[in-house]
Amino acid sequence: MTEFENVRDALKEAIEIADTKGIKTKVGKNEYHPATVEEVQEMLSEHLYNIADLLGMSDLYLDD
């Protein structure tokens, strides 16, 4: 997971993921397949968690 230094960079990359058509994920050395909904959600959630951390709001996703 990429750790961003600021909210702007994290949001920019999350928006790029959300706007991308035909996202592919690596499954082998030189093999890719279309990303599943779950894989895209995982990509976005990592960015959202990092944004929450940068804003001091990790309680939004941490279990009590």
Side-chain angles (χ1 to χ4, degrees), residues 3-50:
E3 292 291 326
F4 294 95
E5 296 294 319
N6 59 66
V7 174
R8 180 182 176 81
D9 290 343
L11 280 172
K12 182 179 180 210
E13 192 164 316
I15 289 168
E16 287 172 1
I17 291 169
D19 287 345
T20 301
K21 304 289 185 236
I23 296 174
K24 295 188 183 230
T25 56
K26 193 169 188 174
V27 294
K29 186 174 181 180
N30 293 315
E31 296 180 51
Y32 296 85
H33 71 84
T36 64
V37 171
E38 290 83 11
E39 290 169 329
V40 174
Q41 286 176 322
E42 184 177 327
M43 286 183 233
L44 287 174
S45 66
E46 290 176 2
H47 289 73
L48 293 172
Y49 295 154
N50 193 206

